[in-house]
Structure formats: C-alpha cells, structure tokens
C-alpha cells in the first residue's frame, strides 16, 4: 500500500518535472528564435542549398571520391560561383549617376511614346482617336508610374552636378541633359531653378558618409550571411546524423512510419527543389540568350535573365519581371545591335513579347514536364494567395520562401496521412 | 501448404495458411519445422562480448561478405531500437520498411487469428534477423514480430539500402546478393517441404 502511494507520488513528481522542463524549453526556444529571427533567411537558404547539393556529394562518392573531399570541392565551387555571380551583378548594377540617367531617359521616353501614340506630337495637336477614347486613362496610369521614376529635388540637383562631371565620373552626355530639361518642363521648371548645395572645398563629407554607410551595410550583410556557408557545410558533413538523432526519440510504434514519411517527403521535396533550381536556371539562360539575340546589350540581357530566372521560383514572376524590364529597356533604348536584320529600336518591344511568350511555352511544354513533372503542381490561386500572405507576413523572405514552404507542407501532410493510414495508426 | 510458404510468398498466401493453422496439430508440427528452419539458416557463432554495431552486422548472414571498412559504412546508417516485452517490432499487414537484427532478447513471429489469439510461427533470439523482405519492397508484412523479453534490435531501412546503391554500389550489391541467396534458399526449402507433404498419403 505504502509502496503504491510512493509510486503514484513519484509518477506525479516525474510528470511535473517533464512538463516543467518542456515548458521552460519551449519558452527558451521561442525566445532564442525571436532573438535570432534575422538569421532565418540565411539559415534556410544555406539548408536548402545543402539539400539541393547533397546528390552531387553522393555522385562524387559513387565515382570513388571520399565524402570529405567531395564536400570540400562542392563547397569551394558553390561559393566561388555565388561570389562570381554577385560580383558580376554588382558590376552591372547601375551606380548613382547611372540611376539618375536611367530615370531621366525612362521618364522622357515614356512621355515621348505617349505623345506619339496619342497624336500629340505638336503643342497644337488635339490628339487622335486613341487619345479621345483612352488617352486620359493612360495618362493617369503614366502619372502613377511617374511617381517612381521622376527625379525629386535632391536628385535633380545631383543630376546637374553629374552633368558637369562629379565624384570622378564622366559628364552626362548632352542628349540626356536635353531629356532632363524636357522632363523639367513637365513640372514647369528650368535647370536654373534648382538649388545646388556644393560641398565645402577641401572636405569630402558626402563621400566619407557614403563610404562609411556602405562599409557598415557590407559588414551588416556579412554578419548576417556568414551563417549561410556554415549551415551549408555542416549539413552536408552531417550525413543524416541529425535525422538519426530525432528518429531515436520516436516511439517504436511510429518508427517505421516515421522513416517512410521522412524518406518520401525528402524525395518529393528534393525533386521539387532540384527541379525548380534547374528549371529556373534554364528559364534564366533562355532569357539571356533570347534577349541577347534580339539586340539587348549583353550586360542587360545577363542581369534581366539572372533576376528573371531567380524570380521564376515564384510562378509567373520570372516572365512578368522579364516582360516589364524588357519593356523598360525597349522604351529607353535608341539604338540596338541585333543579329536579326529585321530588329530595330522601334520594334524591340515586340521582340520582348515574343521572347517572353517563347520562354513561357518552353517552360510549360519542355522544362516543367520533363524536369519537375506534375507531382507538385500548385493551383494558381494558392500561388497568388500564398505569395501575398507570405510577403505580408514575412516580407522578402516570405515572398521567396512561401511557395516552397506550401509545397513542403502539402507534401508533408499528404505523405503523413497516407502512411498513417497504411500503418493503421489513424 | 505450410506457414513457411507464407513467409516465402508474402501476403498472397496468407489466407490459405490461416485456414491451415486452424488445424492445431498440423500447426504445431509445422511451427516446429519453421523453428528448425530458421535455426538452421540463421545459426550463429556464439559471441558474448559487448558488440559494436559492426560486430552485430558481421554475424548477420546478409552482411558477412562485407569487409570491416564496408561494415562500418553500413553501421553508420543503422538505427538502434529498444523494445520492452510485449511490444511489436512490426505488425502483420503493415507496409514493410525495415529489417531488424536482434541484438539482445527474444522475438516471436506471430500471426493473429480471427479469434483474436496469436499463433506462434517462430522464436528468434540474438543475432537472428527478421523482416528482411522489406528490404526489397513495401508489400505488407505477412506476420507480426513481437518482443517477448526486453529486446534490443538494430534496424536497417530499405531506402538507406537503396541510397547505398548510389553512394556505395559495391556494398549494396553484396547485400542484395546475400538477400537473393536467402530468399532462394528459403524457396527451395519450402518446395522440398511441399513436395514431402504431397508425397504423404
């Protein structure tokens, strides 16, 4: 009797200790996750990269290369590639002066094209039939776009400084300065109205501030992303140890079902992620090749192609990005050098449309069926709701990771319920 | 038909064998035969020292052709499990995913009957293995494996063996070859038993 009572009190004590420990561990876990939430994106990207690359390590092992050496080579090649791509993109990305020129050209060309299309070439013109029907609506739409590309007062002042040569940059060509003047007329201003605050001679405060801020942001980025290569490396080295540790904690009744579920999910998600990576690369390469063929300057074809390829991870975003950027390029470009004799600056935007349609057809008819298959097809509505919800909740990380997360969760629950039924657990 | 056929041919024959099992005398006789069969096929040299996973694998016929280095690689993908007495390693009709090698304890192979009882087909102790056909596919288990003492076992997962085909094809092919030998030997024994049973008046 006494022994029974002791047993019960021991059981109760044990339960209290277990629950207490679990609650404390959960609180500590949530606190740690909250404090480290900025590391989520690099951590997840590192883990995904390791997951996607693990078959390469297996292939190296299959070819007789020791696992350690395979991982070392993969690690080197992977980060060298990332470094090269980032360096190339940062070289292509426009600096402050180029951005001002681009905005000026875009603003000027959009308004010029609008006037041409609406028959408003001369100040006295009353416009054609298109203008009568939809002219005002289009002008309103252009007005919305203008908010993003019009130069503000500071930028106008900077443009004038750069036009004469500033910050060791060459002067802005005369033609673009003329565009700038024309753009100012839209807001009834003249270059003389713009007040320029010159830096005091002998002090380079703006320059110093810029350098300091750039250095600080580079350090911030390094501090944040330094975790990524470590996650990548250690997950590849791990070779299933973490999985085995967690499987070890699973009750015997669920042992086989857990192994099966984990394996099926691993295979489905692996196929999806690797397929998507390959598909995105092919879409990006197709854009680069086609845009270069129709006459885009190669560095712009490369930049648009790379970003459109990455954006293609979110369904329809890649082609949409390529279309918009291609249009902007076609609007501002005045002279192209295409290997196709019939292409010129005037019909370049038709070329852009054809390229985007061609890549979409290739993606739908060739890349997706052969690379990804239909196993992880998502309904377009789920895609749109997922992207909006993800980006609202988690910003850029949400935008990038919502679709893979939906696929992972869907595969997880589908496989889990199928296997639980097969094992008569539910 | 004897319960051995169930073991060899999987689920297809399970209804037939359950009918046979109703005849108590036949069942008892056959059960003894199966015990003898398992005992003969999986007889082990006695080893009493504390074993590493590689040692346990080495004593299992499936892995006997592997070198020490290869055994260590296989040991790396093995799961160690503990089963208290009365707990099932796996149950009949569930999809098979892993093979189990008994490290310590006693496991009985049982088939549940319609009355809710269990008919014992075989008893397996240290170094015996069970559920090896799960290494080939996920067809349902033809019987249940139940720990009758506190048992420690190591589990070898089918998909890990399939992955070995990619990463270490020599190791995987040796294991598959031994598995084929075991299945072939068992089929031969079954055929002989069937032949002997049919010859009896």
């Amino acid at each position: 009797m006494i022994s029974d009572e002791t047993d019960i009190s021991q059981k109760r004590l044990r339960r209290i200790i277990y629950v207490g420990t679990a609650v404390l561990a959960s609180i500590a876990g949530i606190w740690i996750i909250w404090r480290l939430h900025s590391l989520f994106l690099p951590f997840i990207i590192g883990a995904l990269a390791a997951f996607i690359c693990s078959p390469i390590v297996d292939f190296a092992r299959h070819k007789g290369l020791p696992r350690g050496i395979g991982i070392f080579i993969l690690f080197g090649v992977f980060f060298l590639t990332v470094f090269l791509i980032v360096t190339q993109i940062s070289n292509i990305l426009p600096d402050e002066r180029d951005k001002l020129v681009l905005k000026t050209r875009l603003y000027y060309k959009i308004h010029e094209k609008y006037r041409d299309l609406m028959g408003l070439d001369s100040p006295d013109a009353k416009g054609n039939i298109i203008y009568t029907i939809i002219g005002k609506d289009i002008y309103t739409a252009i007005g919305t776009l203008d908010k993003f590309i019009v130069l503000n007062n500071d930028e106008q002042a900077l443009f004038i400084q750069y036009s004469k040569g500033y910050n060791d940059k060459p002067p802005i060509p005369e033609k673009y300065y003329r565009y700038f003047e024309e753009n100012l007329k839209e807001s009834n201003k003249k270059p003389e109205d713009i007040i320029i605050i010159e830096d005091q001679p002998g002090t380079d405060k703006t320059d110093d501030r810029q350098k300091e801020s750039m250095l600080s942001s580079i350090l911030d980025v390094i501090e944040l992303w330094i975790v990524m290569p470590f996650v990548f490396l250690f997950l590849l080295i791990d070779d299933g140890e973490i999985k085995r540790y967690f499987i070890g904690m699973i009750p015997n009744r669920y042992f086989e079902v857990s192994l099966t579920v984990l394996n099926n999910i691993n295979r489905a998600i692996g196929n999806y992620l690797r397929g998507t990576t390959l598909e995105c690369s092919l879409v990006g390469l197709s854009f680069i090749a086609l845009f270069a063929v129709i006459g885009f300057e190669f560095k712009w074809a490369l930049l648009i192609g790379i970003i459109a390829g990455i954006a293609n991870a979110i369904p329809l975003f890649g082609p949409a990005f390529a279309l918009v950027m291609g249009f902007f390029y076609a609007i501002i470009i005045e002279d192209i050098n295409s290997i196709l004799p019939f292409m010129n600056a005037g019909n370049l935007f038709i070329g852009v449309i054809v390229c985007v349609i061609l890549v979409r057809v290739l993606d739908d008819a060739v890349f997706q069926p052969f690379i990804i298959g239909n196993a992880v097809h998502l309904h377009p509505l789920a895609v749109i709701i997922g992207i909006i919800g993800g980006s609202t909740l988690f910003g850029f990380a949400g935008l990038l990771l919502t679709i893979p997360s939906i696929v992972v969760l869907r595969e997880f629950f589908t496989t889990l319920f199928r296997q639980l039924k097969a094992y008569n657990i539910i | 038909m004897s319960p051995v056929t169930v073991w060899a041919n999987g689920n297809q024959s399970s209804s037939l064998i359950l009918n046979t099992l109703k005849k108590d005398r036949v069942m008892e006789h056959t059960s003894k035969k199966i015990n003898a069969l398992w005992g003969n096929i999986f007889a082990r040299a006695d080893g009493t020292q504390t074993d590493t996973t590689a040692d346990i694998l080495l004593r299992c016929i499936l892995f006997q052709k592997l070198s020490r280095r290869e055994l260590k690689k296989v040991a790396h993908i093995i799961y160690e499990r503990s089963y208290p007495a009365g707990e099932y390693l796996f149950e009949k009709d569930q999809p098979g995913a892993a093979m189990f090698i008994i490290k310590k304890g006693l496991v009985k192979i049982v088939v549940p009957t319609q009355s809710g009882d269990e008919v014992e087909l075989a008893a397996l102790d240290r170094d015996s293995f069970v559920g090896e056909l799960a290494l080939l596919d996920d067809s349902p288990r033809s019987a249940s494996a139940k720990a009758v003492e506190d048992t420690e076992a190591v589990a070898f997962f089918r998909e890990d063996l399939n992955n070995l085909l990619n990463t270490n094809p020599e190791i995987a092919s040796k294991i598959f070859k031994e598995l084929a030998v075991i299945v072939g030997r068992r089929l031969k024994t079954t055929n002989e038993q069937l032949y002997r049973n049919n010859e009896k008046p």
Side-chain angles (χ1 to χ4, degrees):
Chain A
M1 192 71 178
I2 292 168
S3 167
D4 282 353
E5 279 175 12
T6 317
D7 274 358
I8 291 166
S9 67
Q10 264 187 341
K11 270 186 185 172
R12 194 175 295 158
L13 184 66
R14 202 181 302 147
R15 197 171 297 161
I16 290 169
I17 290 172
Y18 283 160
V19 172
T21 314
V23 170
L24 280 177
S26 307
I27 293 170
I30 292 167
W31 182 78
I32 289 169
I33 288 169
W34 176 251
R35 296 289 294 174
L36 298 176
H37 72 278
S38 58
L39 294 176
F40 270 10
L41 191 60
F43 186 92
I44 292 171
I45 301 277
L48 285 180
F51 188 65
I52 290 166
C53 292
S54 62
I56 302 173
V57 178
D58 289 345
F59 179 75
R61 272 164 82 180
H62 182 77
K63 292 287 169 194
L65 207 64
R67 185 173 170 80
I69 295 174
I71 292 172
F72 184 73
I73 293 172
L74 178 68
F75 184 76
V77 170
F78 183 81
F79 282 98
L80 189 67
T81 314
V82 170
F83 175 76
L84 285 176
I85 290 174
V86 170
T87 321
Q88 283 299 310
I89 289 180
S90 59
N91 285 340
I92 298 170
L93 283 175
D95 58 13
E96 189 178 53
R97 173 185 174 277
D98 294 339
K99 274 182 200 161
L100 293 171
V101 174
L102 274 174
K103 278 179 157 186
T104 305
R105 287 171 68 184
L106 193 59
Y107 187 93
Y108 176 82
K109 285 287 176 184
I110 286 173
H111 285 261
E112 186 189 55
K113 298 265 181 197
Y114 172 75
R115 283 193 297 271
D116 288 350
L117 190 68
M118 301 293 156
L120 299 168
D121 306 355
S122 63
D124 306 329
K126 289 183 179 173
N128 55 24
I129 188 157
I130 305 173
Y131 179 71
T132 320
I133 300 167
I134 50 166
K136 281 179 185 166
D137 294 330
I138 292 182
Y139 194 77
T140 314
I142 290 176
T144 313
L145 183 65
D146 280 352
K147 285 177 195 164
F148 297 101
I149 55 173
V150 73
L151 300 185
N152 61 32
N153 290 342
D154 292 342
E155 286 173 330
Q156 288 168 354
L158 260 176
F159 189 96
I160 291 175
Q161 283 182 298
Y162 274 117
S163 67
K164 297 166 192 162
Y166 178 64
N167 262 354
D168 302 327
K169 300 279 179 188
I172 290 171
E174 184 59 33
K175 184 166 71 177
Y176 301 141
Y177 188 75
R178 195 169 54 74
Y179 288 177
F180 174 69
E181 285 179 320
E182 291 294 324
N183 292 350
L184 285 179
K185 280 182 193 167
E186 295 272 339
S187 47
N188 299 318
K189 276 171 91 175
K190 289 176 188 171
E192 297 81 52
D193 301 336
I194 296 161
I195 303 157
I196 299 164
I197 303 162
E198 296 277 357
D199 291 334
Q200 291 296 317
T203 61
D204 256 348
K205 280 185 182 170
T206 322
D207 230 22
D208 285 351
R209 270 201 309 273
Q210 272 181 0
K211 279 177 189 166
E212 202 177 303
S213 126
M214 189 178 277
L215 191 69
S216 137
S217 54
I218 289 172
L219 281 175
D220 283 348
V221 168
I222 290 175
E223 193 183 359
L224 195 66
W225 286 86
I226 194 76
V227 70
M228 184 190 151
F230 286 104
V231 171
F232 178 82
L233 190 63
F234 285 112
L235 283 183
L236 279 179
I237 291 171
D238 166 71
D239 198 19
E241 281 298 324
I242 297 172
K243 184 180 103 178
R244 253 184 296 285
Y245 174 74
F246 283 108
I247 289 284
M249 296 199 294
I250 286 173
N252 289 327
R253 179 167 155 71
Y254 305 109
F255 170 61
E256 279 191 284
V257 72
S258 310
L259 279 179
T260 311
V261 167
L262 272 179
N263 181 69
N264 290 0
I265 292 169
N266 185 49
R267 193 168 46 208
I269 296 168
N271 287 346
Y272 167 73
L273 289 178
R274 284 171 207 120
T276 304
T277 308
L278 194 58
E279 183 208 352
C280 288
S281 310
L282 289 171
V283 165
L285 283 172
S286 307
F287 274 126
I288 294 170
L290 289 171
F291 280 167
V293 165
I294 62 169
F296 275 49
E297 200 181 328
F298 186 71
K299 71 171 190 178
W300 290 108
L302 188 68
L303 184 64
I304 296 172
I306 289 174
I307 300 175
I310 294 169
N312 201 59
I314 307 159
L316 301 178
F317 264 50
F321 176 83
L323 189 68
V324 171
M325 295 313 287
F327 266 166
F328 282 149
Y329 186 87
I331 285 170
I332 61 171
I333 203 73
E334 286 159 3
D335 188 28
I336 64 165
N337 184 21
S338 170
I339 55 169
L340 303 173
F342 51 85
M343 289 302 303
N344 57 50
N347 62 16
L348 188 62
F349 70 95
I350 298 173
V352 170
I353 295 172
V354 172
C355 286
V356 171
I357 292 172
L358 208 60
V359 174
R360 277 296 300 157
V361 170
L362 268 175
D363 192 17
D364 280 347
V366 183
F367 302 156
Q368 281 188 27
F370 288 103
I371 296 167
I372 298 187
N374 294 320
V376 284
H377 180 74
L378 281 184
H379 194 279
L381 191 65
V383 170
I384 290 165
I385 292 173
I387 289 166
I388 293 170
S391 56
T392 311
L393 286 173
F394 305 107
F396 178 68
L399 184 78
L400 201 69
L401 298 172
T402 300
I403 299 304
S405 306
I406 291 175
V407 171
V408 168
L409 289 175
R410 199 186 64 168
E411 284 303 315
F412 175 77
F413 285 111
T414 316
T415 313
L416 182 69
F417 289 129
R418 198 171 48 233
Q419 292 301 326
L420 287 177
K421 275 181 190 167
Y423 279 85
N424 299 324
I425 293 170
I426 55 170
Chain B
M1 187 183 279
S2 77
V4 181
T5 322
V6 180
W7 213 246
N9 295 345
N11 203 39
Q12 201 179 2
S13 322
S14 56
S15 57
L16 287 170
I17 196 62
L18 278 174
N19 291 332
T20 315
L21 288 170
K22 284 176 186 169
K23 299 172 184 172
D24 285 350
R25 289 176 66 87
V26 176
M27 180 204 73
E28 200 178 359
H29 173 73
T30 330
S31 181
K32 276 179 187 170
K33 275 189 172 179
I34 289 171
N35 271 329
L37 173 70
W38 279 92
N40 284 334
I41 294 175
F42 308 119
R44 300 281 164 271
D46 280 327
T48 48
Q49 73 279 20
T50 312
D51 296 322
T52 62
T53 310
D55 292 329
I56 297 159
L57 293 175
L58 186 62
R59 290 198 301 273
C60 174
I61 195 165
L62 265 184
F63 304 100
Q64 276 181 348
K65 291 281 162 62
L66 301 187
S67 67
R68 196 78 196 171
R69 197 167 143 266
E70 289 171 331
L71 279 172
K72 277 185 183 167
K73 284 184 180 173
V74 177
H76 190 66
I77 55 171
I78 288 289
Y79 297 89
E80 299 213 15
R81 309 293 301 178
S82 297
Y83 297 85
E87 193 165 19
Y88 287 92
L89 278 74
F90 55 77
E91 288 179 57
K92 186 178 180 292
D93 294 334
Q94 288 182 345
M99 180 194 91
F100 296 83
I101 304 168
I102 299 157
K103 190 176 166 186
K104 204 178 94 183
L106 184 67
V107 170
K108 284 192 174 168
I109 307 300
V110 293
V111 175
T113 61
Q114 284 175 340
S115 60
D117 299 331
E118 283 176 340
V119 175
E120 184 189 323
L121 301 182
L124 308 170
D125 58 3
R126 187 170 179 264
D127 295 337
S128 301
F129 60 91
V130 59
E132 67 285 355
L133 292 186
L135 293 179
L136 296 174
D137 67 7
D138 64 349
S139 40
R141 305 279 195 187
S142 50
S144 304
K146 186 180 185 180
V148 285
E149 292 174 4
D150 287 354
T151 298
E152 284 177 23
V154 293
F156 187 39
F157 184 41
R158 177 179 60 249
E159 291 306 328
D160 286 334
L161 177 59
N162 289 340
N163 288 340
L164 265 185
L165 269 176
N166 290 326
T167 54
N168 296 91
E170 301 88 357
I171 300 178
S173 57
K174 283 180 189 176
I175 297 171
F176 274 122
K177 191 185 168 197
E178 287 308 312
L179 191 58
V181 169
I182 290 166
V183 173
R185 194 184 297 169
R186 205 172 292 159
L187 186 64
K188 197 176 164 189
T189 314
T190 307
N191 287 340
E192 282 170 1
Q193 281 187 340
L194 271 174
Y195 181 70
R196 274 200 298 273
N197 285 347
N198 287 340
E199 273 193 334
K200 284 175 190 172

